Amino acid sequence: MLHRRQLHRLALSLAAAPALAAWPAWAADEAPDAMIARLSDEALQTLRTDKAFKDGDIGKIVALVDRIVMPHVNFRRMTAAAVGPGWRKATPAQQERLQQEFKTLLVRTYAGALAQVKNETISVKPLRAKAGDTDVLVRTEVSGRGEPIQLDYRLEQTPGEGTGWKIYNLNVMGVWLVETYRNQFAQEINAKGVDGLIATLATRNAESAKN
């Protein structure tokens, strides 16, 4: 079984993959599972052919992820959920810093994993949702490296914002990303407070930027 950190890196690289392709103005009523399937296929083709990805240029990948992927994630909700109860205690300025540092952490982790994506394929399982649902689980399976990997997306409908659906959590092989970070962040907040968590994230990001 993959190490938990490897699971997270793989999850990030493939969860955001659908957003790497151009996001044209598709019909607002496009089903979320159909959207994930279509954009995953387009994105994986981009990963296999774009020279910046094939060369593993982390700087270019980071810039691309920041510009194209992140607008299609409900990042405030993801950060608030990852920080947990400490989010409500944080000032608006602290919340902004938490979002910035958490975003940098995820983008750089994602970029590093993305550089390793080669010949994976993604199959989307039938959607278990009722008409009118605005919060859905899209279940997929990633194949190409050893045993197939479970990769599930939590999406919410956000009319008027891009495609109408945004990712706010993901699950790889039974591990939910937000909940895992919440456990780590809670330890930091309990020991050092919100400012301590911000400082820890900033230090980690600075070290990552040197590599």
Short mmCIF file of all heavy atoms in Angstrom, two decimals, residues 116-166:
data_model
loop_
_atom_site.label_atom_id
_atom_site.label_comp_id
_atom_site.label_asym_id
_atom_site.label_seq_id
_atom_site.Cartn_x
_atom_site.Cartn_y
_atom_site.Cartn_z
N GLN A 116 4.90 13.62 -12.25
CA GLN A 116 5.11 12.18 -12.32
C GLN A 116 3.99 11.44 -13.05
O GLN A 116 4.08 10.25 -13.28
CB GLN A 116 5.25 11.62 -10.91
CG GLN A 116 6.37 12.26 -10.11
CD GLN A 116 6.39 11.79 -8.67
OE1 GLN A 116 6.05 10.66 -8.37
NE2 GLN A 116 6.78 12.67 -7.76
N VAL A 117 2.92 12.16 -13.39
CA VAL A 117 1.79 11.52 -14.06
C VAL A 117 2.20 11.13 -15.47
O VAL A 117 2.68 11.96 -16.24
CB VAL A 117 0.56 12.45 -14.09
CG1 VAL A 117 -0.56 11.84 -14.91
CG2 VAL A 117 0.10 12.72 -12.66
N LYS A 118 1.99 9.89 -15.84
CA LYS A 118 2.43 9.40 -17.14
C LYS A 118 1.26 8.82 -17.95
O LYS A 118 0.71 9.47 -18.80
CB LYS A 118 3.53 8.35 -16.97
CG LYS A 118 4.75 8.86 -16.22
CD LYS A 118 5.43 10.02 -16.94
CE LYS A 118 6.67 10.47 -16.15
NZ LYS A 118 7.31 11.65 -16.78
N ASN A 119 0.88 7.59 -17.62
CA ASN A 119 -0.09 6.88 -18.46
C ASN A 119 -1.34 6.44 -17.69
O ASN A 119 -1.97 5.45 -18.06
CB ASN A 119 0.58 5.66 -19.10
CG ASN A 119 1.74 6.07 -20.00
OD1 ASN A 119 1.57 6.92 -20.87
ND2 ASN A 119 2.89 5.47 -19.77
N GLU A 120 -1.68 7.18 -16.64
CA GLU A 120 -2.87 6.82 -15.88
C GLU A 120 -4.15 7.01 -16.71
O GLU A 120 -4.20 7.85 -17.61
CB GLU A 120 -2.97 7.65 -14.61
CG GLU A 120 -2.03 7.23 -13.50
CD GLU A 120 -0.60 7.66 -13.76
OE1 GLU A 120 -0.38 8.47 -14.67
OE2 GLU A 120 0.29 7.19 -13.05
N THR A 121 -5.15 6.23 -16.38
CA THR A 121 -6.48 6.41 -16.95
C THR A 121 -7.48 6.50 -15.81
O THR A 121 -7.24 5.97 -14.72
CB THR A 121 -6.87 5.25 -17.87
OG1 THR A 121 -6.87 4.02 -17.11
CG2 THR A 121 -5.90 5.13 -19.04
N ILE A 122 -8.59 7.19 -16.05
CA ILE A 122 -9.61 7.38 -15.03
C ILE A 122 -10.95 6.90 -15.54
O ILE A 122 -11.38 7.31 -16.63
CB ILE A 122 -9.71 8.86 -14.61
CG1 ILE A 122 -8.38 9.34 -14.03
CG2 ILE A 122 -10.82 9.06 -13.58
CD1 ILE A 122 -8.37 10.81 -13.68
N SER A 123 -11.60 6.03 -14.79
CA SER A 123 -12.96 5.61 -15.12
C SER A 123 -13.91 6.15 -14.06
O SER A 123 -13.60 6.11 -12.87
CB SER A 123 -13.05 4.08 -15.18
OG SER A 123 -12.67 3.50 -13.94
N VAL A 124 -15.04 6.68 -14.52
CA VAL A 124 -16.02 7.29 -13.62
C VAL A 124 -17.15 6.30 -13.39
O VAL A 124 -17.72 5.75 -14.33
CB VAL A 124 -16.57 8.60 -14.21
CG1 VAL A 124 -17.60 9.21 -13.26
CG2 VAL A 124 -15.43 9.58 -14.47
N LYS A 125 -17.48 6.08 -12.12
CA LYS A 125 -18.55 5.15 -11.76
C LYS A 125 -19.91 5.84 -11.83
O LYS A 125 -19.98 7.07 -11.78
CB LYS A 125 -18.29 4.58 -10.36
CG LYS A 125 -16.98 3.80 -10.26
CD LYS A 125 -16.76 3.23 -8.88
CE LYS A 125 -15.45 2.46 -8.81
NZ LYS A 125 -15.21 1.89 -7.46
N PRO A 126 -20.99 5.08 -11.95
CA PRO A 126 -22.33 5.69 -12.03
C PRO A 126 -22.60 6.61 -10.85
O PRO A 126 -22.27 6.28 -9.70
CB PRO A 126 -23.26 4.47 -12.03
CG PRO A 126 -22.44 3.36 -12.59
CD PRO A 126 -21.04 3.61 -12.08
N LEU A 127 -23.19 7.75 -11.14
CA LEU A 127 -23.46 8.76 -10.11
C LEU A 127 -24.67 8.34 -9.28
O LEU A 127 -25.74 8.05 -9.82
CB LEU A 127 -23.71 10.12 -10.76
CG LEU A 127 -23.98 11.29 -9.81
CD1 LEU A 127 -22.76 11.58 -8.96
CD2 LEU A 127 -24.39 12.52 -10.61
N ARG A 128 -24.49 8.35 -7.97
CA ARG A 128 -25.60 8.07 -7.06
C ARG A 128 -26.12 9.38 -6.50
O ARG A 128 -25.72 9.81 -5.41
CB ARG A 128 -25.14 7.15 -5.93
CG ARG A 128 -24.65 5.78 -6.41
CD ARG A 128 -24.06 4.98 -5.25
NE ARG A 128 -23.59 3.67 -5.69
CZ ARG A 128 -22.93 2.82 -4.89
NH1 ARG A 128 -22.68 3.16 -3.62
NH2 ARG A 128 -22.52 1.65 -5.36
N ALA A 129 -26.98 10.03 -7.24
CA ALA A 129 -27.52 11.31 -6.82
C ALA A 129 -28.91 11.47 -7.40
O ALA A 129 -29.24 10.87 -8.43
CB ALA A 129 -26.62 12.45 -7.28
N LYS A 130 -29.72 12.28 -6.74
CA LYS A 130 -31.07 12.56 -7.21
C LYS A 130 -31.09 13.87 -7.97
O LYS A 130 -30.25 14.75 -7.75
CB LYS A 130 -32.02 12.61 -6.01
CG LYS A 130 -32.16 11.30 -5.25
CD LYS A 130 -33.09 11.44 -4.06
CE LYS A 130 -32.48 12.35 -2.99
NZ LYS A 130 -33.34 12.40 -1.78
N ALA A 131 -32.05 14.01 -8.84
CA ALA A 131 -32.21 15.26 -9.57
C ALA A 131 -32.39 16.40 -8.58
O ALA A 131 -33.16 16.29 -7.61
CB ALA A 131 -33.43 15.17 -10.50
N GLY A 132 -31.67 17.47 -8.81
CA GLY A 132 -31.78 18.62 -7.92
C GLY A 132 -30.76 18.64 -6.80
O GLY A 132 -30.64 19.66 -6.10
N ASP A 133 -30.01 17.56 -6.59
CA ASP A 133 -28.97 17.56 -5.57
C ASP A 133 -27.91 18.61 -5.91
O ASP A 133 -27.50 18.74 -7.06
CB ASP A 133 -28.30 16.19 -5.47
CG ASP A 133 -29.14 15.18 -4.72
OD1 ASP A 133 -30.19 15.58 -4.15
OD2 ASP A 133 -28.77 13.99 -4.70
N THR A 134 -27.48 19.35 -4.91
CA THR A 134 -26.46 20.38 -5.13
C THR A 134 -25.13 20.02 -4.48
O THR A 134 -24.18 20.78 -4.55
CB THR A 134 -26.94 21.73 -4.58
OG1 THR A 134 -27.24 21.61 -3.18
CG2 THR A 134 -28.19 22.21 -5.32
N ASP A 135 -25.07 18.86 -3.83
CA ASP A 135 -23.84 18.37 -3.21
C ASP A 135 -23.74 16.90 -3.56
O ASP A 135 -24.62 16.12 -3.18
CB ASP A 135 -23.88 18.57 -1.69
CG ASP A 135 -22.53 18.31 -1.04
OD1 ASP A 135 -22.06 17.16 -1.10
OD2 ASP A 135 -21.96 19.25 -0.47
N VAL A 136 -22.71 16.52 -4.30
CA VAL A 136 -22.65 15.16 -4.81
C VAL A 136 -21.27 14.54 -4.61
O VAL A 136 -20.27 15.25 -4.41
CB VAL A 136 -23.00 15.11 -6.32
CG1 VAL A 136 -24.40 15.65 -6.56
CG2 VAL A 136 -21.97 15.87 -7.14
N LEU A 137 -21.24 13.22 -4.67
CA LEU A 137 -20.01 12.46 -4.62
C LEU A 137 -19.81 11.80 -5.98
O LEU A 137 -20.65 11.03 -6.43
CB LEU A 137 -20.08 11.39 -3.53
CG LEU A 137 -18.88 10.43 -3.44
CD1 LEU A 137 -17.63 11.18 -2.99
CD2 LEU A 137 -19.19 9.28 -2.49
N VAL A 138 -18.72 12.14 -6.65
CA VAL A 138 -18.36 11.51 -7.92
C VAL A 138 -17.25 10.53 -7.64
O VAL A 138 -16.16 10.91 -7.20
CB VAL A 138 -17.93 12.55 -8.97
CG1 VAL A 138 -17.45 11.85 -10.24
CG2 VAL A 138 -19.08 13.50 -9.29
N ARG A 139 -17.52 9.26 -7.89
CA ARG A 139 -16.57 8.19 -7.60
C ARG A 139 -15.83 7.80 -8.88
O ARG A 139 -16.45 7.59 -9.92
CB ARG A 139 -17.29 6.97 -7.02
CG ARG A 139 -18.00 7.26 -5.69
CD ARG A 139 -18.84 6.08 -5.23
NE ARG A 139 -19.85 5.73 -6.22
CZ ARG A 139 -20.00 4.51 -6.73
NH1 ARG A 139 -19.21 3.51 -6.34
NH2 ARG A 139 -20.94 4.26 -7.61
N THR A 140 -14.51 7.73 -8.78
CA THR A 140 -13.72 7.32 -9.93
C THR A 140 -12.67 6.30 -9.51
O THR A 140 -12.44 6.08 -8.32
CB THR A 140 -13.00 8.52 -10.59
OG1 THR A 140 -11.87 8.92 -9.79
CG2 THR A 140 -13.93 9.70 -10.76
N GLU A 141 -12.07 5.69 -10.51
CA GLU A 141 -11.00 4.73 -10.26
C GLU A 141 -9.84 5.04 -11.19
O GLU A 141 -10.03 5.21 -12.40
CB GLU A 141 -11.51 3.31 -10.51
CG GLU A 141 -10.53 2.22 -10.07
CD GLU A 141 -11.15 0.84 -10.18
OE1 GLU A 141 -11.17 0.30 -11.31
OE2 GLU A 141 -11.63 0.31 -9.16
N VAL A 142 -8.65 5.14 -10.62
CA VAL A 142 -7.44 5.48 -11.38
C VAL A 142 -6.65 4.21 -11.62
O VAL A 142 -6.33 3.48 -10.68
CB VAL A 142 -6.58 6.51 -10.61
CG1 VAL A 142 -5.35 6.88 -11.44
CG2 VAL A 142 -7.41 7.75 -10.27
N SER A 143 -6.32 3.96 -12.88
CA SER A 143 -5.56 2.76 -13.23
C SER A 143 -4.29 3.16 -13.96
O SER A 143 -4.23 4.21 -14.61
CB SER A 143 -6.39 1.84 -14.14
OG SER A 143 -7.61 1.49 -13.51
N GLY A 144 -3.27 2.32 -13.84
CA GLY A 144 -2.03 2.59 -14.57
C GLY A 144 -0.78 2.30 -13.78
O GLY A 144 0.29 2.12 -14.34
N ARG A 145 -0.88 2.27 -12.44
CA ARG A 145 0.27 1.96 -11.60
C ARG A 145 -0.14 0.95 -10.54
O ARG A 145 -0.70 1.30 -9.51
CB ARG A 145 0.81 3.21 -10.91
CG ARG A 145 1.43 4.23 -11.85
CD ARG A 145 2.11 5.33 -11.06
NE ARG A 145 2.65 6.38 -11.93
CZ ARG A 145 3.33 7.42 -11.49
NH1 ARG A 145 3.56 7.56 -10.19
NH2 ARG A 145 3.78 8.33 -12.32
N GLY A 146 0.10 -0.32 -10.81
CA GLY A 146 -0.26 -1.34 -9.83
C GLY A 146 -1.76 -1.49 -9.72
O GLY A 146 -2.51 -1.39 -10.69
N GLU A 147 -2.24 -1.69 -8.48
CA GLU A 147 -3.65 -1.88 -8.25
C GLU A 147 -4.42 -0.59 -8.52
O GLU A 147 -3.91 0.51 -8.27
CB GLU A 147 -3.89 -2.32 -6.80
CG GLU A 147 -3.36 -3.70 -6.47
CD GLU A 147 -4.09 -4.79 -7.24
OE1 GLU A 147 -5.33 -4.68 -7.40
OE2 GLU A 147 -3.42 -5.73 -7.71
N PRO A 148 -5.66 -0.69 -9.02
CA PRO A 148 -6.48 0.51 -9.23
C PRO A 148 -6.64 1.29 -7.92
O PRO A 148 -6.69 0.69 -6.84
CB PRO A 148 -7.82 -0.05 -9.72
CG PRO A 148 -7.47 -1.37 -10.30
CD PRO A 148 -6.35 -1.92 -9.46
N ILE A 149 -6.72 2.59 -8.03
CA ILE A 149 -6.81 3.46 -6.86
C ILE A 149 -8.16 4.16 -6.84
O ILE A 149 -8.59 4.75 -7.83
CB ILE A 149 -5.69 4.52 -6.89
CG1 ILE A 149 -4.33 3.84 -6.77
CG2 ILE A 149 -5.88 5.54 -5.76
CD1 ILE A 149 -3.16 4.78 -6.94
N GLN A 150 -8.85 4.05 -5.71
CA GLN A 150 -10.12 4.75 -5.51
C GLN A 150 -9.85 6.25 -5.39
O GLN A 150 -9.00 6.67 -4.60
CB GLN A 150 -10.80 4.24 -4.24
CG GLN A 150 -12.00 5.07 -3.79
CD GLN A 150 -12.41 4.75 -2.36
OE1 GLN A 150 -11.89 3.82 -1.74
NE2 GLN A 150 -13.33 5.53 -1.84
N LEU A 151 -10.56 7.05 -6.15
CA LEU A 151 -10.43 8.50 -6.07
C LEU A 151 -11.82 9.11 -6.21
O LEU A 151 -12.45 9.01 -7.26
CB LEU A 151 -9.51 9.03 -7.17
CG LEU A 151 -9.35 10.55 -7.24
CD1 LEU A 151 -8.70 11.08 -5.96
CD2 LEU A 151 -8.53 10.95 -8.45
N ASP A 152 -12.31 9.69 -5.12
CA ASP A 152 -13.66 10.24 -5.11
C ASP A 152 -13.62 11.75 -4.89
O ASP A 152 -12.81 12.26 -4.10
CB ASP A 152 -14.48 9.61 -3.98
CG ASP A 152 -14.56 8.10 -4.11
OD1 ASP A 152 -14.47 7.61 -5.25
OD2 ASP A 152 -14.73 7.42 -3.08
N TYR A 153 -14.51 12.46 -5.57
CA TYR A 153 -14.60 13.91 -5.46
C TYR A 153 -15.89 14.31 -4.74
O TYR A 153 -16.96 13.80 -5.07
CB TYR A 153 -14.68 14.56 -6.85
CG TYR A 153 -13.58 14.27 -7.81
CD1 TYR A 153 -13.52 13.06 -8.50
CD2 TYR A 153 -12.60 15.22 -8.08
CE1 TYR A 153 -12.52 12.80 -9.43
CE2 TYR A 153 -11.60 14.98 -9.01
CZ TYR A 153 -11.56 13.77 -9.67
OH TYR A 153 -10.58 13.53 -10.59
N ARG A 154 -15.78 15.26 -3.84
CA ARG A 154 -16.96 15.93 -3.30
C ARG A 154 -17.08 17.26 -4.04
O ARG A 154 -16.15 18.06 -4.05
CB ARG A 154 -16.82 16.18 -1.81
CG ARG A 154 -17.24 15.03 -0.93
CD ARG A 154 -18.75 14.87 -0.94
NE ARG A 154 -19.20 13.77 -0.08
CZ ARG A 154 -20.44 13.31 -0.05
NH1 ARG A 154 -21.36 13.85 -0.83
NH2 ARG A 154 -20.76 12.33 0.74
N LEU A 155 -18.23 17.48 -4.65
CA LEU A 155 -18.45 18.72 -5.39
C LEU A 155 -19.74 19.37 -4.92
O LEU A 155 -20.69 18.70 -4.51
CB LEU A 155 -18.57 18.46 -6.90
CG LEU A 155 -17.39 17.83 -7.61
CD1 LEU A 155 -17.59 16.34 -7.74
CD2 LEU A 155 -17.19 18.46 -8.98
N GLU A 156 -19.76 20.70 -4.99
CA GLU A 156 -20.97 21.45 -4.71
C GLU A 156 -21.32 22.30 -5.92
O GLU A 156 -20.43 22.76 -6.65
CB GLU A 156 -20.80 22.34 -3.48
CG GLU A 156 -19.77 23.42 -3.63
CD GLU A 156 -19.73 24.35 -2.44
OE1 GLU A 156 -20.60 24.22 -1.55
OE2 GLU A 156 -18.84 25.21 -2.39
N GLN A 157 -22.61 22.49 -6.11
CA GLN A 157 -23.05 23.31 -7.23
C GLN A 157 -22.98 24.77 -6.84
O GLN A 157 -23.47 25.17 -5.78
CB GLN A 157 -24.47 22.93 -7.63
CG GLN A 157 -24.91 23.48 -8.97
CD GLN A 157 -26.22 22.89 -9.43
OE1 GLN A 157 -27.06 22.53 -8.62
NE2 GLN A 157 -26.40 22.78 -10.73
N THR A 158 -22.36 25.57 -7.69
CA THR A 158 -22.21 27.00 -7.41
C THR A 158 -22.63 27.77 -8.66
O THR A 158 -21.79 28.15 -9.46
CB THR A 158 -20.75 27.35 -7.05
OG1 THR A 158 -19.89 26.86 -8.10
CG2 THR A 158 -20.35 26.68 -5.75
N PRO A 159 -23.91 27.96 -8.87
CA PRO A 159 -24.40 28.63 -10.08
C PRO A 159 -23.75 30.00 -10.27
O PRO A 159 -23.55 30.75 -9.33
CB PRO A 159 -25.91 28.79 -9.81
CG PRO A 159 -26.23 27.70 -8.84
CD PRO A 159 -25.00 27.58 -7.97
N GLY A 160 -23.37 30.25 -11.52
CA GLY A 160 -22.79 31.53 -11.84
C GLY A 160 -21.29 31.59 -11.64
O GLY A 160 -20.66 32.60 -11.91
N GLU A 161 -20.68 30.49 -11.15
CA GLU A 161 -19.25 30.47 -10.90
C GLU A 161 -18.60 29.40 -11.78
O GLU A 161 -18.62 28.22 -11.47
CB GLU A 161 -18.93 30.20 -9.43
CG GLU A 161 -19.49 31.25 -8.48
CD GLU A 161 -19.07 30.96 -7.05
OE1 GLU A 161 -18.02 30.34 -6.85
OE2 GLU A 161 -19.80 31.36 -6.14
N GLY A 162 -18.06 29.80 -12.90
CA GLY A 162 -17.36 28.86 -13.76
C GLY A 162 -18.30 27.80 -14.31
O GLY A 162 -19.31 28.10 -14.93
N THR A 163 -17.98 26.54 -14.05
CA THR A 163 -18.75 25.43 -14.61
C THR A 163 -20.03 25.16 -13.86
O THR A 163 -20.86 24.39 -14.31
CB THR A 163 -17.90 24.15 -14.58
OG1 THR A 163 -17.63 23.83 -13.21
CG2 THR A 163 -16.62 24.32 -15.35
N GLY A 164 -20.19 25.74 -12.69
CA GLY A 164 -21.35 25.44 -11.87
C GLY A 164 -21.09 24.42 -10.79
O GLY A 164 -21.88 24.25 -9.89
N TRP A 165 -19.94 23.72 -10.86
CA TRP A 165 -19.57 22.74 -9.84
C TRP A 165 -18.14 23.01 -9.39
O TRP A 165 -17.28 23.32 -10.20
CB TRP A 165 -19.65 21.31 -10.38
CG TRP A 165 -21.06 20.88 -10.69
CD1 TRP A 165 -21.71 20.97 -11.88
CD2 TRP A 165 -21.99 20.29 -9.77
NE1 TRP A 165 -22.98 20.47 -11.77
CE2 TRP A 165 -23.17 20.04 -10.48
CE3 TRP A 165 -21.92 19.95 -8.40
CZ2 TRP A 165 -24.31 19.48 -9.89
CZ3 TRP A 165 -23.04 19.38 -7.82
CH2 TRP A 165 -24.22 19.15 -8.55
N LYS A 166 -17.91 22.90 -8.07
CA LYS A 166 -16.56 23.09 -7.55
C LYS A 166 -16.21 21.96 -6.58
O LYS A 166 -17.04 21.51 -5.79
CB LYS A 166 -16.42 24.44 -6.85
CG LYS A 166 -16.38 25.61 -7.80
CD LYS A 166 -15.92 26.88 -7.10
CE LYS A 166 -15.75 28.03 -8.10
NZ LYS A 166 -15.22 29.24 -7.45
#
